[in-house]
Amino acid sequence: MKRAQRPWLGLLVILGPVLLVAMDGSILFLVMPQLTAELQPTADQSLWILDVYGFAVGSLLVAFGSLGDRFGRLKLLMIGAALFGLSSAGASFATTPEQLIALRALMGIAGATLLPSALAVLSELFPDPRRRSQAVGIFAAAFAAGFAIGPVVAGQLLTRFWWGSVFLINVPVVAIFLLLAPFLLREVRAVRPGTVDVLSVLSSVAGLLLTTYAVKRLAASGLAVVPVIIGLVGLAILWWFIRRQRRLEYPLLDLTLFRDRVFTLAIITGFVPLAAWSATAYLTAIHLQSVLGIPVLHAALLAVPGAVVLTVTCIVTPRIVARTGVRAALVACHTFIAAGVLLLVFVDVSGGVTWYVASTVVSGIGYGISFSVVADTAVGAVPTDRAGAAAAIAETSNELGNALGIALLGSLAAAVFRLGGPGLAPTLTETLHLPVVSGLAVTDAKAASVVALHVVALLLAVVHAGLALYAALTRPLSVAGGRVTPSQPGNANLMPDNSQ
């Protein structure tokens, strides 16, 4: 094998599990109506089936990024891939909501081992900044494509197989990765490993889960003492977690990285757009199938134009950023997303498919910029020996945005539906599956669901318009060789392990 070919073949191998981890963050959007009919989860269980994967990934990404830096990134990649394959196989044959939630959580834990180590190994494969920028652009495109094509793949599978097939397809991809990775990827560790603080891991997970559970309960059932107390406890734990990171010699979340303005803007642009994408993808999937009655395969195909635009944007963005600068990219990112989600207000009970497709295409440009800029900017804005930590935080912003988008904005939609709906069930899907329901109640439920979608779309449009304005007023960010110039130059303190 030629020396020049090895990095690109290594990149190709890495993209397999990256694509799977991203796909599994969105693949259930179109599956939920069929899954709900067969497993009959409650409203809370349905949200946890969707959310627990993202929360497991987001809660543990930083921890596993740190572990990979200290104990070996390739080793963690191999263990994570094996666990991801096994848990995927188990999820495909789950027979109860509880089983599926548990296995989805296990998939999330495995996914958390893959993303930061994959991006850090990628940075080591391409020491040249320009080629690394191209490789990270491809990496981001694969990650974005996974999110975008998840519902499309699900729609194709559901026309031929049972709902569990959306998980079973992960197994052969994982097997190929496990066979080829040891030959194409090198083990890489940080020079000064430090230790992992178990209390930080536990407190970050507990704080996120308790806070999110409280938000869901309040949205589904209204104001009550118990969820308020649980939410306050969750927030207190997260506050304690942040204070603890400032005191530790080797923190789980390196808050000093946020002193770099470039890095901070990249993380914000990783979190907010993913929250918008996941929430609108979930709500529009319900709208297409449950309100408009569009078959699952047709609904999946309607998402293809937006997925194509998103993926292409990821690939071309690094070259554009090299000429225009990061600030212009950030302004364009939030502007396109704001315009795209705003188009959803034209969707109604009787139609709006054209507006939906237009929305995915316009916002897809913004999402593509976000995926590409976040990964490359975050890793390029810090010293090389902190690439693993930066990559982990960048991917954490994506995964938490994905999970919190569904949890918080999905809960907002549920609250709007509860206030304006017929009051027979907490969600539209549950209302439509009631044994006896009148035509008038169905009409009212669909109308309330559309109003909920409009409320979420308007809120997101305002937020992204504000972020576009903020980015426009921020002083220009410099780029050099297609990469963001770090505020503090880093040193190549990564030590290859030549024991293989």
Side-chain angles (χ1 to χ4, degrees):
M1 182 189 304
K2 294 183 179 180
R3 187 184 185 97
Q5 294 177 337
R6 189 183 186 97
W8 296 105
L9 291 175
L11 170 63
L12 188 62
V13 170
I14 289 173
L15 294 184
V18 168
L19 189 67
L20 293 182
V21 173
M23 280 178 55
D24 280 278
S26 64
I27 202 165
L28 286 184
F29 292 157
L30 284 177
V31 180
M32 286 308 293
Q34 181 176 328
L35 189 154
T36 300
E38 295 192 20
L39 296 187
Q40 298 184 342
T42 65
D44 277 351
Q45 288 174 333
S46 294
L47 284 177
W48 279 115
I49 289 172
L50 286 166
D51 289 344
V52 71
Y53 174 83
F55 279 120
V57 174
S59 300
L60 295 169
L61 267 174
V62 175
F64 283 129
S66 179
L67 282 172
D69 281 346
R70 294 159 185 172
F71 302 118
R73 293 166 180 166
L74 179 58
K75 183 185 300 181
L76 201 61
L77 274 172
M78 299 291 288
I79 295 173
L83 180 60
F84 193 83
L86 291 173
S87 54
S88 296
S92 66
F93 296 103
T95 56
T96 66
E98 292 81 5
Q99 288 180 9
L100 184 56
I101 291 170
L103 287 164
R104 286 277 287 171
L106 192 59
M107 289 174 64
I109 293 172
T113 69
L114 297 174
L115 289 175
S117 291
L119 191 52
V121 167
L122 177 62
S123 297
E124 183 66 17
L125 282 174
F126 296 90
D128 177 67
R130 189 172 294 276
R131 290 199 173 186
R132 183 168 62 240
S133 180
Q134 295 172 350
V136 171
I138 296 172
F139 179 98
F143 190 67
F147 270 111
I149 70 174
V152 179
V153 172
Q156 295 289 336
L157 290 172
L158 289 177
T159 60
R160 298 173 177 84
F161 308 104
W162 89 113
W163 63 265
S165 61
V166 301
F167 300 122
L168 200 58
I169 60 169
N170 295 343
V171 176
V173 178
V174 168
I176 294 173
F177 173 80
L178 292 175
L179 287 173
L180 297 180
F183 300 100
L184 296 173
L185 305 177
R186 289 192 307 167
E187 186 65 278
V188 178
R189 295 182 177 90
V191 170
R192 291 171 291 185
T195 59
V196 176
D197 183 56
V198 177
L199 280 178
S200 294
V201 175
L202 295 178
S203 59
S204 64
V205 174
L208 282 170
L209 290 179
L210 289 175
T211 303
T212 305
Y213 175 80
V215 170
K216 290 180 178 181
R217 292 302 304 168
L218 289 170
S221 305
L223 190 63
V225 175
V226 173
V228 168
I229 294 176
I230 292 175
L232 291 175
V233 171
L235 291 174
I237 293 175
L238 289 176
W239 177 78
W240 180 84
F241 164 78
I242 292 174
R243 286 181 59 86
R244 182 173 178 81
Q245 303 316 295
R246 293 173 176 171
R247 299 194 303 266
L248 293 174
E249 182 180 2
Y250 300 105
L252 181 65
L253 178 63
D254 190 351
L255 297 176
T256 60
L257 294 176
F258 290 92
R259 294 173 183 170
D260 189 297
R261 184 173 53 86
V262 175
F263 180 83
T264 301
L265 285 173
I267 298 308
I268 294 173
T269 305
F271 178 83
V272 181
L274 257 295
W277 185 89
S278 62
T280 54
Y282 169 54
L283 294 174
T284 52
I286 293 176
H287 178 80
L288 292 175
Q289 294 181 80
S290 299
V291 176
L292 301 183
I294 295 176
V296 63
L297 178 58
H298 187 189
L301 293 176
L302 290 174
V304 170
V308 172
V309 169
L310 191 157
T311 305
V312 172
T313 303
C314 273
I315 296 174
V316 302
T317 292
R319 294 183 180 181
I320 297 175
V321 170
R323 296 182 178 182
T324 65
V326 177
R327 182 179 67 163
L330 292 173
V331 173
C333 166
H334 295 295
T335 300
F336 276 109
I337 295 175
V341 296
L342 189 60
L343 294 177
L344 291 176
V345 301
F346 297 104
V347 172
D348 55 35
V349 177
S350 59
V353 171
T354 302
W355 290 111
Y356 162 73
V357 175
S359 172
T360 63
V361 170
V362 175
S363 60
I365 299 173
Y367 296 137
I369 296 172
S370 170
F371 276 114
S372 183
V373 169
V374 169
D376 196 29
T377 304
V379 174
V382 301
T384 307
D385 64 338
R386 300 164 98 179
I393 295 174
E395 298 298 344
T396 299
S397 70
N398 283 333
E399 289 297 335
L400 286 182
N402 179 47
L404 287 174
I406 297 176
L408 300 180
L409 297 173
S411 295
L412 172 62
V416 174
F417 177 86
R418 183 170 58 86
L419 293 173
L424 300 176
T427 66
L428 173 63
T429 303
E430 289 180 284
T431 301
L432 297 180
H433 283 92
L434 291 174
V436 179
V437 58
S438 67
L440 180 60
V442 169
T443 301
D444 290 343
K446 290 182 177 181
S449 179
V450 171
V451 171
L453 174 60
H454 289 173
V455 169
V456 171
L458 286 170
L459 175 63
L460 289 172
V462 171
V463 170
H464 281 282
L467 288 173
L469 180 62
Y470 174 77
L473 296 176
T474 302
R475 68 180 178 85
L477 308 177
S478 60
V479 292
R483 306 227 351 127
V484 175
T485 302
S487 58
Q488 296 178 345
N491 299 315
N493 290 334
L494 291 178
M495 179 176 65
D497 187 341
N498 298 316
S499 60
Q500 297 190 84

